Coordinates of all heavy atoms in Angstrom, one line a residue:
S7 N 85.0 102.2 111.4 CA 85.7 102.3 112.7 C 85.7 100.9 113.4 O 86.7 100.5 114.0 CB 84.9 103.3 113.6 OG 85.5 103.3 114.9
S9 N 85.5 97.9 111.9 CA 86.4 97.0 111.2 C 87.8 97.3 111.5 O 88.6 96.4 111.7 CB 86.2 97.2 109.7 OG 84.9 96.8 109.3
F27 N 103.9 81.7 120.2 CA 103.8 80.3 119.8 C 104.9 79.9 118.9 O 105.6 78.9 119.1 CB 102.4 80.2 119.1 CG 102.2 78.8 118.6 CD1 101.8 77.8 119.4 CD2 102.4 78.5 117.2 CE1 101.6 76.5 118.9 CE2 102.2 77.3 116.7 CZ 101.8 76.2 117.6
P32 N 110.4 74.2 118.4 CA 109.5 73.0 118.2 C 109.2 72.3 119.5 O 108.3 71.5 119.6 CB 110.3 72.1 117.3 CG 111.7 72.3 117.7 CD 111.8 73.8 118.0
M47 N 110.3 89.2 114.9 CA 109.9 89.3 113.4 C 108.4 89.3 113.2 O 107.9 90.1 112.4 CB 110.5 88.1 112.7 CG 112.0 88.2 112.5 SD 112.4 89.7 111.4 CE 114.2 89.4 111.1
V52 N 104.6 91.6 110.9 CA 103.2 91.3 110.8 C 102.3 92.2 111.6 O 101.5 92.9 111.1 CB 102.8 89.8 111.2 CG1 101.4 89.5 111.1 CG2 103.6 88.8 110.3
K62 N 96.8 103.4 107.6 CA 97.0 104.3 106.4 C 95.7 104.4 105.6 O 95.3 105.4 105.0 CB 98.1 103.9 105.5 CG 98.4 104.7 104.3 CD 98.7 106.2 104.6 CE 98.9 107.0 103.4 NZ 98.2 108.3 103.5
L85 N 114.6 94.3 113.0 CA 116.1 94.3 113.2 C 116.5 93.7 114.5 O 117.5 93.0 114.5 CB 116.6 95.8 113.1 CG 116.6 96.5 111.7 CD1 117.1 97.9 111.9 CD2 117.4 95.7 110.7
G86 N 115.7 93.8 115.5 CA 116.0 93.1 116.8 C 115.9 91.6 116.6 O 116.7 90.9 117.1
T105 N 120.3 79.1 104.5 CA 119.0 78.5 104.1 C 118.2 79.5 103.2 O 118.6 80.7 103.2 CB 118.1 78.2 105.3 OG1 117.8 79.4 106.0 CG2 118.9 77.2 106.2
V119 N 114.0 98.7 103.6 CA 114.5 100.0 103.9 C 114.1 101.0 102.8 O 113.8 102.1 103.1 CB 116.1 99.9 104.0 CG1 116.7 101.3 104.0 CG2 116.5 99.1 105.2
M122 N 110.6 102.5 103.3 CA 110.6 103.3 104.6 C 111.3 104.6 104.3 O 110.8 105.7 104.7 CB 111.3 102.5 105.7 CG 111.3 103.2 107.0 SD 112.1 102.2 108.3 CE 113.8 102.2 107.8
F128 N 110.1 111.5 100.7 CA 109.3 112.1 99.7 C 107.8 112.2 100.1 O 107.1 113.1 99.6 CB 109.3 111.2 98.4 CG 110.7 111.3 97.7 CD1 111.6 110.3 97.9 CD2 111.0 112.4 96.9 CE1 112.8 110.3 97.3 CE2 112.2 112.5 96.3 CZ 113.1 111.4 96.5
G134 N 107.8 116.0 103.3 CA 108.0 115.2 102.1 C 108.3 116.1 100.9 O 107.6 117.1 100.7
P172 N 101.0 69.9 110.7 CA 100.1 70.8 109.9 C 99.2 71.7 110.8 O 98.9 72.8 110.4 CB 99.2 69.7 109.1 CG 99.5 68.4 109.7 CD 100.8 68.5 110.5
E174 N 100.2 73.1 113.7 CA 101.0 74.2 114.1 C 101.3 75.2 112.9 O 101.3 76.4 113.1 CB 102.4 73.8 114.6 CG 102.2 73.1 116.0 CD 103.5 72.7 116.6 OE1 104.6 72.6 115.9 OE2 103.5 72.4 117.8
A176 N 99.2 75.6 110.4 CA 97.9 76.3 110.2 C 97.7 77.4 111.3 O 97.2 78.5 110.9 CB 96.7 75.3 110.3
I184 N 93.8 85.1 106.2 CA 92.6 85.8 106.5 C 92.9 87.3 106.6 O 92.1 88.1 106.1 CB 92.0 85.4 107.9 CG1 91.5 83.9 107.7 CG2 90.9 86.3 108.3 CD1 91.1 83.2 109.1
P187 N 93.8 89.9 102.7 CA 92.9 90.8 101.9 C 92.7 92.2 102.5 O 92.4 93.1 101.8 CB 91.6 90.0 101.8 CG 91.9 88.7 102.2 CD 93.1 88.7 103.1

Side-chain angles (χ1 to χ4, degrees):
S7 177
S9 295
F27 177 78
M47 288 294 191
V52 178
K62 179 62 181 140
L85 286 178
T105 65
V119 171
M122 183 177 66
F128 292 100
E174 291 185 344
I184 294 168

